[in-house]
Amino acid sequence: MTRRTSRPDGLDLQRLRAIRGRRTDRTRLQQLVTRIAEHLDEHDGYVALSGGKDSVVVADLARRADPATPMVWFDSGLEWPETRTYLHQLADAWHLNLAIAHPQPDTLEVLEASGLWHLDRPRQPVPPLSQVCIDAPAAAAHDRFGPGELWGVRADEAAGRRIMYATALRAETTRSCTAGCCTTAAERAARHGGIIRRLDGTTAYGPVWEWSTEQVWQHLAAGEIPINPVYDKLRRLGAPPHALRVSHIIDGTRLEHGSATWLRAGWPDLYDELVEHLPLLRDYA
């Protein structure tokens, strides 16, 4: 269930977000649903559903375009326990066409085999985690569902993502914006933005690429959409806003920002189990 949070002055933030979310331009929202339908018609493909807030919003929009849209969860083997339960509950509630992709080997096996997490083991060559957790499973999913993809990657999350989307928009405008198609930058963004054409022939569309974090929360609140309980647990542990992310339990960037500390505080048994396999995880907590 979606948890209500209140400010010290007694205001219910969840209720306020729901009110603001219901004020969202319905026409603009329907345009996104239409673009999703067009993307699926042209490319087929799937929604990359991680259980994070952004991908859940995309899943909600995609099911409005086509309730049978495939949803793929890339289970790295190092996911928060709550995420697994949450996604199955969401799939049941929304009657999602959910598929689960398991990398071989999984993330923990690669990390342990590398020797990097042990002082007394030699370093061993292992495949890059990006290849194990993303490239290979995604290729298999594309083989099964088609070259299209819908994802929740947003531009305001990082400078690199802003650059990626800005560069892609220029390329897409050159490619697809014919004379008289768009007269303003806003029209170009609405009609051609969010498309990433990859060298491997796949085409990703991020319907919420321009959204702010607050807009994402407002959409979830307005739709009374259940939120992954990992967010609430991290908040209660005192994690700052930048640490409120649902991704792999062990991620290089997040470890540098203290994610192992939240793991030890909130999931002590899981932390102890991982330390048995990756002893140097202690250095980050």
Side-chain angles (χ1 to χ4, degrees):
M1 297 295 292
T2 302
R3 179 177 181 268
R4 291 188 173 183
T5 55
S6 298
R7 298 192 327 197
D9 57 14
L11 291 174
D12 187 329
L13 295 184
Q14 193 69 11
R15 193 176 191 83
L16 287 175
R17 279 174 166 162
I19 293 171
R20 291 168 182 156
R22 294 187 189 107
R23 293 174 182 164
T24 299
D25 185 344
R26 298 292 102 181
T27 300
R28 172 61 173 150
L29 209 58
Q30 185 55 48
Q31 287 175 342
L32 290 179
V33 173
T34 299
R35 278 201 68 189
I36 288 171
E38 292 171 348
H39 183 80
L40 291 170
D41 285 344
E42 182 176 358
H43 304 288
D44 291 323
Y46 58 87
V47 173
L49 183 60
S50 68
K53 63 186 187 304
D54 305 320
S55 73
V56 169
V57 169
V58 173
D60 178 49
L61 296 173
R63 72 189 181 110
R64 300 185 194 194
D66 181 357
T69 302
M71 311 275 170
V72 181
W73 176 40
F74 297 97
D75 182 359
S76 69
L78 275 179
E79 308 290 334
W80 299 104
E82 291 86 347
T83 296
R84 186 180 309 277
T85 302
Y86 168 74
L87 284 177
H88 283 293
Q89 290 176 341
L90 192 68
D92 288 342
W94 284 358
H95 307 290
L96 297 180
N97 179 13
L98 179 65
I100 302 176
H102 299 279
Q104 295 295 332
D106 67 24
T107 306
L108 182 57
E109 290 171 331
V110 172
L111 293 177
E112 189 171 21
S114 72
L116 294 171
W117 294 84
H118 300 76
L119 288 175
D120 57 350
R121 292 188 187 177
R123 305 295 185 259
Q124 299 292 337
V126 294
L129 283 180
S130 59
Q131 177 183 329
V132 171
C133 298
I134 301 174
D135 297 345
H142 284 301
D143 286 344
R144 179 178 176 185
F145 297 115
E149 183 176 342
L150 296 162
W151 64 354
V153 173
R154 294 184 295 111
D156 79 344
E157 291 180 296
R161 293 182 175 184
R162 288 192 291 273
I163 294 170
M164 175 187 71
Y165 275 123
T167 303
L169 176 56
R170 288 194 294 270
E172 196 65 20
T173 299
T174 300
R175 181 181 189 275
S176 305
C177 194
T178 58
C181 174
C182 302
T183 58
T184 67
E187 286 183 349
R188 284 192 292 274
R191 293 182 183 178
H192 307 293
I195 295 292
I196 305 294
R197 297 183 187 273
R198 302 182 180 125
L199 295 177
D200 63 2
T202 62
T203 303
Y205 172 46
V208 297
W209 73 280
E210 288 187 291
W211 287 29
S212 67
T213 299
E214 184 57 26
Q215 284 176 301
V216 171
W217 288 123
Q218 287 175 13
H219 181 91
L220 293 170
E224 298 184 352
I225 296 172
I227 297 168
N228 191 324
V230 171
Y231 287 111
D232 186 45
K233 191 165 184 176
L234 288 171
R235 284 194 189 94
R236 286 187 280 109
L237 291 170
H242 70 265
L244 300 177
R245 300 192 59 178
V246 173
S247 60
H248 303 161
I249 293 173
I250 297 177
D251 175 279
T253 301
R254 296 181 68 245
L255 282 175
E256 294 293 342
H257 289 87
S259 62
T261 301
W262 316 123
L263 172 63
R264 185 178 64 178
W267 296 264
D269 291 341
L270 179 56
Y271 171 81
D272 289 341
E273 183 177 346
L274 288 175
V275 164
E276 289 185 15
H277 294 275
L278 311 172
L280 291 183
L281 182 63
R282 295 189 188 93
D283 293 349
Y284 293 94

